[in-house]
Amino acid sequence: NAGVTQTPKFRVLKTGQSMTLLCAQDMNHEYMYWYRQDPGMGLRLIHYSVGEGTTAKGEVPDGYNVSRLKKQNFLLGLESAAPSQTSVYFCASSYSNQGDGYTFGSGTRLTVV
Amino acid sequence: AQSVTQLDSHVSVSEGTPVLLRCNYSSSYSPSLFWYVQHPNKGLQLLLKYTSAATLVKGINGFEAEFKKSETSFHLTKPSAHMSDAAEYFCVVSDPDSGGYNKLIFGAGTRLAVHP
């Protein structure tokens, strides 16, 4: 089935460890996004990409890095995890830049201890 | 910058009764507005969207929302709740950045509980 696939689905990290979350889409979408979801705060945009090889900062980019080397993949990296980065991370992609047509992945639950 | 405020963090209704989830927006122009739904342990799904056409927007699963510019509101309604409607609902506004690119700005969410 076409869509957005996130790996892993769950992960527990120790403070200071690093990891990479992978997002893959097979819909040929130009635009991809990483959000974090925390209780009572909705989803907040971390970074986004408007095309292969491009990235831009969102609302809460500190502590994260991203790369979009291939159009279908958008990687989110945590270089030195902190407990404040405990969250559920969602990747999304879209075909337009008009704010609609988003497809979301099922999320990655990350706990930093 | 655009923003949305969801006026209720939790709403509880009985099955078969109407649903009203309230959302106010802040925008310097006529925005694009959306409602997304998130079922437990799932990703987000688009319910409906308003993009300056008809002010009453119909979505999936019997939901609809009315854009009221004078009240800066975009409330979500459904005439009769079903148990499967229990989920978290997000009101969302499209926010253009300096490059003309539109990002989605999410409200804090309203958790809808439906009781038998």
Side-chain angles (χ1 to χ4, degrees), chain A residues 33-103:
Chain A
Y33 320 84
W34 275 107
Y35 287 87
R36 60 177 289 172
Q37 182 180 28
D38 302 293
M41 303 186 75
L43 275 71
R44 292 180 292 167
L45 183 63
I46 304 171
H47 286 281
Y48 63 101
S49 168
V50 301
E52 181 178 321
T54 72
T55 63
K57 294 181 180 180
E59 300 172 72
V60 289
D62 294 343
Y64 304 95
N65 57 76
V66 287
S67 65
R68 183 106 181 263
L69 299 180
K70 293 183 178 181
K71 186 176 183 178
Q72 64 268 34
N73 296 336
F74 194 30
L75 279 62
L76 178 70
L78 286 73
E79 289 188 349
S80 179
S84 61
Q85 294 177 303
T86 294
S87 188
V88 181
Y89 292 85
F90 286 97
C91 177
S93 69
S94 70
Y95 56 81
S96 82
N97 74 341
Q98 298 306 306
D100 60 350
Y102 278 51
T103 300

Side-chain angles (χ1 to χ4, degrees), chain A residues 10 37 88 90 105-107 109, chain B residues 38-44 111:
Chain A
F10 303 93
Q37 182 180 28
V88 181
F90 286 97
S106 57
R109 186 173 295 275
Chain B
Q38 183 183 29
H39 288 94
N41 300 313
K42 300 287 187 184
L44 281 79
R111 186 167 297 277

